[in-house]
Amino acid sequence: MPSVVGARVTGFELFRRSVRNKDISVDTSIETLISLLKRRQIRGSRECAEATAYLLRRVIECLRVGDLSNLLQNVRQVGQRLIAAQPQELAVGNVVRRVLGLIREEVEEDRKGEASAHSDTTSELQSQPPEGNVPVVQNGSPVSGQYNPSPLRHRREESDAPATLVNGKTLGLATIAASTDNSMFSLLAHSVSSLAAAHGIQSLSGQPPLCSQALANLNAAKDLRAEVIEGVEELIDEIRQADDQIAGYALDYIHSNEIVLTCSSSRTIQKFLLKVAPKRKLTVVHAEAYPNDHEATYETIVGKPKANSARGHGSDQYMKTLTAAGVTVIVIPDSAVFALMARVNKVILDSHIVLANGDFVALSGAYTIAKAAKVHRTPVIALSGVYKVSPVYPFDTTDLMEDGDPGGVVSYEDGLFLDKVDVHNPLLDYIPADLVDLYVTNLGGHAAPSTQRIVKDHYRDEDLELKEIETSA
């Protein structure tokens, strides 16, 4: 794995640079991301989702043109390895499922286009009238009409051919022979071309049939892969723009002279409140989120992040602070949340992941705030991008939790105390759906029960259980 150059390069920046380097193989990029996820050098839903999308785009780019049949299997296998590296980051599985859905949609659209082209060609061949009016025999009697034979047959008709009596009517031998040859040739040619088109067999002249499956695969393979890559690019743009799109709905939910309570150093919450600051006056009560996120919280409020800070990347570290925008910010300890909740008008929380049943996972301390808001009947708004909405059901909530360094709660200097107790420092909290009133995503506001509709719109049923699909494949 490439060495980190300088203290400012975060794990995400390191991987983004390496995955763009064409000299580095795909297998090396996969191992790099797995290593970064295991060592928690890439953490957070946004960074994990974006890094996964970058890797899957590289996997699709390096796939051979004629190897599209194995594309679903390759993407699924890579996704399974990433999920196993860090099961708590459900955003990784969300992006894998979205990419699998993109591939399935492109394949289905390609098949529909081919089927429609084949049906149009068949209907045109069937509806196309023959050249001239060939005599047609109905009920044993030919129907009279104009007939334009070829020059050779025209010269043959000019000769004195004997007449033949059929059902009491006189017909020339040349007319009967021409009509019989033409009808039989058309019938056999149409049958052979239809069978060849259905089975992908070349015609007798050596040219492939018009709607051959093999020809469609050869012509559309490169275009299909390009369309899938374009869909992954749109997914990356969606992840990047999710916070700005969520902030666009801020004026619909925050009014003038309101007191808003929040916690953590969430970039999504900061942008959400900064959107309201120029137009409406508000006061923000900020819980410090001790002991895991209090330093980053103070950095967000003061606006001076550390040089080696892992929060955000790019221009996020230089984002305008709430105090610079004229917002009154009050920092309180977590123990004072319940006492001040009676004065609060709204609670805004940032979700780490949203589950299919409407529950969500947030940073430690969010459950206490949501529970206090429930007692005081204060509305709770949870912010979440659509890429955070997961089709996973929380059958075992302990699998979604993660513990941090216990030294943040009790110092290791208290050795006698640590020998007698077990100290846990949870990094995440599980919040049931009945404690949240509204989810605001980049698609707008949604009630907790409507998250199932978001799951249905963005994920395919075939990709919901990745482990089951992998074992059956």
Side-chain angles (χ1 to χ4, degrees), residues 75-121:
V75 172
R76 190 184 303 120
Q77 289 177 353
V78 172
Q80 279 297 120
R81 296 180 62 186
L82 298 178
I83 294 173
Q86 195 52 248
Q88 284 79 18
E89 296 291 352
L90 298 182
V92 174
N94 295 347
V95 174
V96 174
R97 294 182 180 93
R98 291 281 295 273
V99 174
L100 290 174
L102 286 173
I103 299 172
R104 295 181 189 275
E105 289 176 2
E106 295 297 339
V107 172
E108 290 176 359
E109 290 178 1
D110 183 69
R111 290 178 178 175
K112 289 180 181 178
E114 180 188 351
S116 62
H118 176 67
S119 61
D120 294 342
T121 306

Side-chain angles (χ1 to χ4, degrees), residues 386-458:
V386 173
Y387 66 91
K388 295 182 181 181
V389 181
S390 175
V392 175
Y393 279 88
F395 297 108
D396 189 1
T397 59
T398 57
D399 295 339
L400 304 175
M401 299 296 103
E402 182 180 1
D403 290 337
D405 182 15
V409 180
V410 178
S411 175
Y412 288 105
E413 298 177 355
D414 301 331
L416 297 177
F417 179 73
L418 291 176
D419 293 338
K420 300 178 181 179
V421 296
D422 293 332
V423 180
H424 294 277
N425 179 19
L427 299 178
L428 301 173
D429 276 348
Y430 182 83
I431 296 95
D434 58 346
L435 298 182
V436 60
D437 297 280
L438 186 70
Y439 286 105
V440 178
T441 67
N442 46 325
L443 301 179
H446 304 273
S450 65
T451 55
Q452 184 63 38
R453 186 180 63 182
I454 300 177
V455 171
K456 198 69 176 177
D457 293 341
H458 290 81

Side-chain angles (χ1 to χ4, degrees), residues 37-274:
L37 289 173
K38 286 183 177 180
R39 293 185 292 183
R40 306 303 282 145
Q41 293 181 342
I42 293 181
R43 63 188 312 150
S45 298
R46 178 171 177 261
E47 290 188 356
C48 290
E50 196 170 343
T52 304
Y54 279 128
L55 179 62
L56 296 182
R57 182 187 62 181
R58 180 70 187 282
V59 171
I60 298 172
E61 287 175 349
C62 297
L63 187 71
R64 291 181 299 176
V65 175
D67 201 21
L68 288 175
S69 59
N70 297 327
L71 181 57
L72 284 171
Q73 182 180 359
N74 293 340
V75 172
R76 190 184 303 120
Q77 289 177 353
V78 172
Q80 279 297 120
R81 296 180 62 186
L82 298 178
I83 294 173
Q86 195 52 248
Q88 284 79 18
E89 296 291 352
L90 298 182
V92 174
N94 295 347
V95 174
V96 174
R97 294 182 180 93
R98 291 281 295 273
V99 174
L100 290 174
L102 286 173
I103 299 172
R104 295 181 189 275
E105 289 176 2
E106 295 297 339
V107 172
E108 290 176 359
E109 290 178 1
D110 183 69
R111 290 178 178 175
K112 289 180 181 178
E114 180 188 351
S116 62
H118 176 67
S119 61
D120 294 342
T121 306
T122 305
S123 61
E124 289 179 2
L125 291 175
Q126 293 177 351
S127 62
Q128 182 177 1
E131 295 183 0
N133 293 329
V134 180
V136 182
V137 178
Q138 294 181 356
N139 298 326
S141 301
V143 180
S144 61
Q146 184 182 0
Y147 173 57
N148 295 326
S150 62
L152 179 61
R153 292 181 177 178
H154 183 67
R155 288 194 299 269
R156 292 174 57 187
E157 285 183 356
E158 290 178 352
S159 62
D160 297 333
T164 303
L165 184 64
V166 179
N167 292 337
K169 294 189 178 181
T170 303
L171 290 177
L173 289 178
T175 304
I176 297 176
S179 62
T180 305
D181 293 343
N182 198 338
S183 60
M184 291 297 295
F185 177 76
S186 301
L187 179 61
L188 292 175
H190 179 68
S191 301
V192 172
S193 62
S194 300
L195 290 174
H199 295 281
I201 306 174
Q202 291 187 347
S203 62
L204 297 177
S205 61
Q207 298 295 330
L210 193 61
C211 296
S212 172
Q213 181 72 27
L215 179 63
N217 289 340
L218 289 176
N219 291 339
K222 187 174 182 180
D223 296 336
L224 182 61
R225 188 182 62 165
E227 291 175 359
V228 174
I229 294 175
E230 183 180 357
V232 177
E233 291 283 356
E234 294 177 358
L235 178 59
I236 294 174
D237 293 338
E238 175 189 335
I239 297 172
R240 290 176 177 175
Q241 301 172 6
D243 293 340
D244 295 328
Q245 293 174 352
I246 293 172
Y249 298 100
L251 294 174
D252 298 335
Y253 302 106
I254 298 180
H255 307 288
S256 299
N257 299 321
E258 284 190 337
I259 300 177
V260 178
L261 175 64
T262 184
C263 69
S264 77
S265 59
S266 170
R267 171 181 182 265
T268 307
I269 294 178
Q270 298 300 314
K271 285 195 172 185
F272 192 81
L273 297 176
L274 283 173

Side-chain angles (χ1 to χ4, degrees), residues 315-337:
S315 61
D316 300 344
Q317 297 181 359
Y318 306 100
M319 189 169 53
K320 188 178 181 181
T321 61
L322 292 174
T323 54
V327 178
T328 302
V329 181
I330 303 173
V331 182
I332 62 172
D334 299 328
S335 57
V337 168

